[in-house]
Amino acid sequence: VARSGGTDRRETARYARRVSWSELNEHGSYVSDGVKIEAYRRAFANLIRPDDVVIDMGCGSGLLGLLALEAGAAKVVAVDSGPILELARETFEANGFGDRVEYRRTHSAQLTLDQPADVVICDQIGGFAHEVGLTRNVRDLFDRGVLKPDARVVPDSFDLFVAPVSAPESDDPLRPWASAASGFDFGPFQRSAANSPFRLTATADWLLGPGVPAAHLDARDEDKITFRVSSRTQTAGPVTGILGYMRAHLDPAHGVSLTNDPTDPGRFRRWHLYHPVEPAIHVEVGDEVTMSFDVNQRGHLSTWQVTVNDEQRSASQFFGDFLDPLVMFDPPGDSVPPLSRTGQCRRATLDAIAAGTPFSRLVELVAGEYADQFRTADEARRFVRDMVARYCERT
Ligand SMILES: C[S@@+](CC[C@H](N)C(=O)[O-])C[C@H]1O[C@@H](n2cnc3c(N)ncnc32)[C@H](O)[C@@H]1O
């Protein structure tokens, strides 16, 4: 793929091939969302100062960094763990901002800066503010001094809302598992799905009762989110789920915010977080639906309970995607874990790299001493190449 503007075309082309179609679709939807762009423009007009160093955490296409530079930031540190950073780099350059941007292809948890930054901008706000791990990443940057103690965070905080909804059968994420189409019993999947929040886009006609304010979340605060709130139904029907959505406060002092409230015509383009209620509970007009949530942001673990009259349903991710033994793994403090063969291979490779071993020798070493780890010599070579790409400075 020959394109202009790259600092190293061959390398850029290699990375460009690895930006997936789903990422291009996702970021295409962000850069064309006029509501989101206008809100960030308004917020940055007040928040960004001329000598600001701004971290664009998870910059993706670079959209928010471009807006911060347009608003006059001295410098943007564009951080993204994915190959998309190489396309963002070309985009900053193409827009004439190349000399005011520093690029870091890394997860924010590995980010270090010579001087702490004044602002962090980040769009990892999901559809219900907490589910993509925003607060953990922001907290980490403060704790490690990558941000000044009084640094501005955009978005700064969130209001969380919940509403009892009835998903049409065609959109209900539980229905496929109950389908008789195959003649097989997919009960285990159905149970897992009933205990998993889903990203989907609801419309206003799904709501059986009004969405109610449930919690306020500060972007710097990764504590648990717990609430118990009620909504009185205005439509009769089956409550198939609880919809979570939010209002993100970009610049609270000037009232600049973004919402994905399905009933708000001025909403931005963002999914909602749907929490199944299984089996559905039928409600009549005027019933009170009580919704209790307990969200452990550190463990990415949500538990929810829904009560209508004397009927109650409980669900928890603990019984859904948390069944994976890798996720459940929690060794006792006094255990002495032995390094696996795979771990030994990684360690030997890193030791050899640290000792200044040439690339071809690294491949020989790995293919020889750890031949049991690879099916072919080429697989060993690719392993070493990935270790170098991941853990070595680019020369
Ligand atoms: C939701 S997109 C945000 C895109 C962009 N900021 C925008 O508003 O259009 C998330 C991007 O952040 C990256 N990402 C998510 N969490 C990250 C983290 N903690 N550190 C570095 N990159 C991250 C992903 O690779 C992805 O490209």
Side-chain angles (χ1 to χ4, degrees), residues 23 26-27 30 36 56-64 79-82 84 106-109 123-124 137 270:
E23 279 176 285
E26 178 187 348
H27 293 282
Y30 299 148
K36 167 174 160 166
D56 185 354
M57 184 171 79
C59 69
S61 65
L63 171 65
L64 299 187
V79 183
D80 203 295
S81 51
I84 198 168
T106 183
H107 189 275
S108 60
D123 188 55
Q124 284 79 262
N137 292 327
R270 187 54 61 95

Side-chain angles (χ1 to χ4, degrees), residues 37-337:
I37 294 167
E38 187 47 33
Y40 275 100
R41 256 204 184 109
R42 279 177 55 214
F44 289 168
N46 288 311
L47 288 170
I48 302 285
R49 300 171 198 150
D51 52 354
D52 275 345
V53 173
V54 177
I55 298 175
D56 185 354
M57 184 171 79
C59 69
S61 65
L63 171 65
L64 299 187
L66 286 163
L67 291 170
L69 289 162
E70 178 195 72
K75 185 166 98 178
V76 161
V77 183
V79 183
D80 203 295
S81 51
I84 198 168
L85 186 67
E86 301 302 326
L87 291 179
R89 180 201 301 266
E90 288 193 19
T91 306
F92 281 113
E93 286 170 3
N95 285 278
F97 293 118
D99 57 338
R100 284 156 66 192
V101 188
E102 223 179 277
Y103 305 92
R104 302 294 183 84
R105 182 161 171 199
T106 183
H107 189 275
S108 60
Q110 258 89 49
L111 178 69
T112 54
L113 297 180
D114 294 339
Q115 299 287 327
D118 305 280
V119 183
V120 61
I121 53 182
C122 38
D123 188 55
Q124 284 79 262
I125 60 178
F128 198 33
H130 71 78
E131 83 269 17
V132 194
L134 167 85
T135 55
R136 167 186 270 198
N137 292 327
V138 169
R139 190 64 261 156
D140 166 66
L141 293 180
F142 276 109
D143 289 349
R144 293 188 300 108
V146 184
L147 286 169
K148 289 181 179 166
D150 60 348
R152 282 146 276 154
V153 183
V154 191
D156 166 271
S157 52
F158 304 86
D159 288 316
L160 273 54
F161 296 83
V162 284
V165 294
S166 190
E169 203 162 321
S170 54
D171 290 302
D172 187 336
L174 263 53
R175 288 314 128 218
W177 302 113
S179 156
S182 70
F184 297 116
D185 176 1
F186 284 103
F189 282 91
Q190 204 179 349
R191 272 191 297 284
S192 181
N195 287 286
S196 302
F198 285 86
R199 290 180 186 186
L200 44 71
T201 301
T203 48
D205 57 326
W206 290 30
L207 270 69
L208 296 176
V212 287
H216 184 76
L217 176 68
D218 192 293
R220 304 154 192 79
D221 179 3
E222 59 165 340
D223 287 349
K224 280 189 171 191
I225 306 167
T226 50
F227 57 84
R228 180 186 162 86
V229 292
S230 298
S231 172
R232 198 164 285 284
T233 54
Q234 293 166 337
T235 310
V239 178
T240 63
I242 302 300
L243 199 70
Y245 58 91
M246 67 187 167
R247 181 170 288 279
H249 299 285
L250 308 187
D251 177 10
H254 296 91
V256 184
S257 65
L258 272 176
T259 184
N260 58 343
D261 180 342
T263 66
D264 189 330
R267 65 189 175 276
F268 80 122
R269 217 182 280 155
R270 187 54 61 95
W271 65 83
H272 306 112
L273 203 62
Y274 174 88
H275 304 80
V277 171
E278 173 71 7
I281 305 179
H282 189 87
V283 292
E284 298 297 337
V285 173
D287 275 344
E288 191 173 72
V289 181
T290 302
M291 301 162 281
S292 307
F293 274 67
D294 188 342
V295 180
N296 178 338
Q297 295 197 78
R298 278 172 188 251
H300 292 288
L301 177 62
S302 293
T303 296
W304 59 102
Q305 193 173 69
V306 179
T307 313
V308 184
N309 302 323
D310 52 0
E311 278 198 80
Q312 190 170 79
R313 306 281 182 268
S314 299
S316 172
Q317 273 177 291
F318 190 80
F319 302 115
D321 52 12
F322 265 66
L323 288 174
D324 184 339
L326 202 62
V327 181
M328 297 290 285
F329 186 57
D330 186 14
D334 58 354
S335 67
V336 184

